Amino acid sequence: MDLRQFLMCLSLCTAFALSKPTEKKDRVHHEPQLSDKVHDDAQSFDYDHDAFLGAEEAKTFDQLTPEESKERLGVIVDKIDADKDGFVTEGELKSWIKHAQKKYIYDNVENQWQEFDMNQDGFISWDEYRNVTYGTYLDDPDPDDGFNYKQMMVRDERRFKMADKDGDLIATKEEFTAFLHPEEYDYMKDIVVQETMEDIDKNADGFIDLEEYIGDMYSHDGNADEPEWVKTEREQFVEFRDKNRDGKMDKEETKDWILPSDYDHAEAEARHLVYESDQNKDGKLTKEEIVDKYDLFVGSQATDFGEALVRHDEF
Ligand SMILES: *[C@@H]1O[C@H](CO)[C@@H](O)[C@H](O)[C@H]1NC(C)=O
Ligand SMILES: [Ca+2]
């Protein structure tokens, strides 16, 4: 999928999200992420699958029969058990999840690289990126699909320049990775915060106030009462987000929200997976305990089919 398709999808998905106002939109997706799915095990284990396998690999498991899934999961368990003592600890699981995340990012950059490095010199210049991504728009600067490509391009260029450490407007693989996955790099954190603020700060005063904060996650459904989670978010804003209690979030407060320094997603997910599958409660997992819960860890054709039925019910 190239960026144009991705953008199309993004705008479609946004429209879709807006049509379902009671569902929470997850803004905190800029953090070093394990998945772009919302983590709600009552709905599906998609987030866990992405975290455990990496998003690409998770898709392959969705094609397997339960038996094939279990077998491949068993092979993975042997790899996770680094000290080969027959048990998977929370620490081993955390390392594995971090590894899956790194691999996903590496593969994702590799997959896109060929498309953008047009002259195949091992670098991607801003010109190459711009031509590939916005070539159609540049040829016809007034497209009638209503999407603001100009604004996207300006934003991409600013991010590209930030990722491009030596300022030659030519990205090495490392710099291009920082461009595509800025949340993974300390030196990109400011731009991640800036882009997020621009998205949410509708009146462009440089701050996120309570209504903008709520408006980004929830759109009012006529006269319907606000769902409970929206009320909770309002309290969160007042109690925790707006630390200096001036009624709005500034840059620092926004950064603490979307890129909290004291929260490790891989660790939290490892703890969650152990908690959910440790049948004898000895704090570590056997291969049997993991494979028993294969639907939580990896899923399969069957679980995906089940989800499709659930999704169908919602419409
Ligand atoms: C980008 O497109 C322009 C206009 O078609 C062309 O002049 C330029 O050489 C292209 N740059 C690269 C790096 O392909
Ligand atoms: Ca190149």
Side-chain angles (χ1 to χ4, degrees), residues 118 125 127-128 130-131:
M118 294 173 80
S125 66
D127 274 353
E128 283 177 313
R130 188 196 51 201
N131 279 9

Side-chain angles (χ1 to χ4, degrees), residues 49-63:
H49 301 167
D50 284 5
F52 185 74
L53 294 167
E56 276 307 313
E57 187 72 1
K59 279 187 228 153
T60 24
F61 273 77
D62 289 341
Q63 316 295 320

Side-chain angles (χ1 to χ4, degrees), residues 109-120 124 132 173:
V109 172
E110 284 301 313
N111 287 339
Q112 300 193 54
W113 187 265
Q114 295 304 326
E115 189 183 349
F116 292 112
D117 182 11
M118 294 173 80
N119 66 358
Q120 304 198 345
I124 292 173
V132 171
K173 196 157 277 184

Side-chain angles (χ1 to χ4, degrees), residues 7-61:
L7 290 174
M8 298 295 176
C9 167
L10 200 67
S11 45
L12 284 175
C13 297
T14 307
F16 180 71
L18 289 176
S19 71
K20 292 179 77 187
T22 51
E23 201 167 278
K24 184 170 177 179
K25 187 174 135 205
D26 205 4
R27 163 61 61 183
V28 192
H29 63 262
H30 280 304
E31 299 168 58
Q33 56 181 333
L34 303 176
S35 170
D36 56 8
K37 314 261 168 54
V38 179
H39 196 182
D40 178 5
D41 283 355
Q43 260 190 319
S44 82
F45 296 132
D46 288 350
Y47 178 97
D48 304 291
H49 301 167
D50 284 5
F52 185 74
L53 294 167
E56 276 307 313
E57 187 72 1
K59 279 187 228 153
T60 24
F61 273 77

